[in-house]
Amino acid sequence: MEYVHHYQSPFGGMTMASNGRALTGLWFDGQKYFGGTLSGNQEERELEVFEQADRWLEIYFGGKAPAFTPPLSMEGTPFRKAVWEILLTIPFGQTVTYGEIAKKLAGQMGRPGMSAQAVGGAVGHNPISLIVPCHRVIGTDGSLTGYAGGIAVKEKLLLLEKTQERI
């Protein structure tokens, strides 16, 4: 059984998903790939993991870097999971490029190179927005490209992180 929970952010409604123990999805309502990890069988229910995620989002939208991460369970290919693990290392208020992630991943895999476009595909299919900070990935030229929640939301998220107090 999958469980869902709704959250109203300053930038629009969000939907969370859980397997009962960990967060399996977090999307802005209507974003590209919305609910990509959901099956057709969900139930709305209050869960500890949703309470933790709500608390995380309250801190985040308050302009601070949360000092904890709710339990996460991300389903995907080994390549996508490796990219998402790198995303989790991007600090609040900082950005990296798709090319930088590709270079880091190539090094981890002992390969001479990696496609930034392949990294972009994995970043775009991140099932847990914000907590796994795909919005912090930018183009090599500094452009705000490729955010499933929309470029306007990506811009607002990055502005929130750069202009608010951090804990």
Side-chain angles (χ1 to χ4, degrees), residues 37-50:
T37 61
L38 291 174
S39 68
N41 190 19
Q42 304 104 30
E43 175 183 316
E44 283 207 41
R45 180 176 289 178
E46 291 302 318
L47 299 171
E48 174 63 27
V49 69
F50 290 149

Side-chain angles (χ1 to χ4, degrees), residues 36-151:
T37 61
L38 291 174
S39 68
N41 190 19
Q42 304 104 30
E43 175 183 316
E44 283 207 41
R45 180 176 289 178
E46 291 302 318
L47 299 171
E48 174 63 27
V49 69
F50 290 149
E51 291 173 16
Q52 291 175 27
D54 282 351
R55 197 165 54 249
W56 192 99
L57 291 167
E58 290 298 323
I59 293 167
Y60 178 83
F61 285 116
K64 298 177 181 166
F68 69 96
T69 302
L72 305 177
S73 178
M74 297 180 288
E75 295 295 323
T77 66
F79 177 78
R80 285 183 178 178
K81 287 181 175 182
V83 170
W84 300 336
E85 287 298 323
I86 291 171
L87 295 180
L88 284 166
T89 69
I90 306 169
F92 184 93
Q94 295 183 29
T95 58
V96 300
T97 67
Y98 295 96
E100 289 169 329
I101 293 173
K103 185 176 180 179
K104 184 173 186 172
L105 191 57
Q108 289 176 355
M109 298 172 82
R111 294 174 57 177
M114 175 77 53
S115 163
Q117 288 80 11
V119 167
V123 170
H125 284 85
N126 167 26
I128 304 178
S129 295
L130 298 182
I131 296 173
V132 180
C134 53
H135 63 283
R136 295 181 188 148
V137 184
I138 60 172
T140 302
D141 62 358
S143 60
L144 303 183
T145 62
Y147 186 60
I151 298 300

Side-chain angles (χ1 to χ4, degrees), residues 15-29:
T15 299
M16 297 178 206
S18 172
N19 58 14
R21 297 173 306 283
L23 204 61
T24 58
L26 175 62
W27 307 272
F28 281 99
D29 293 344

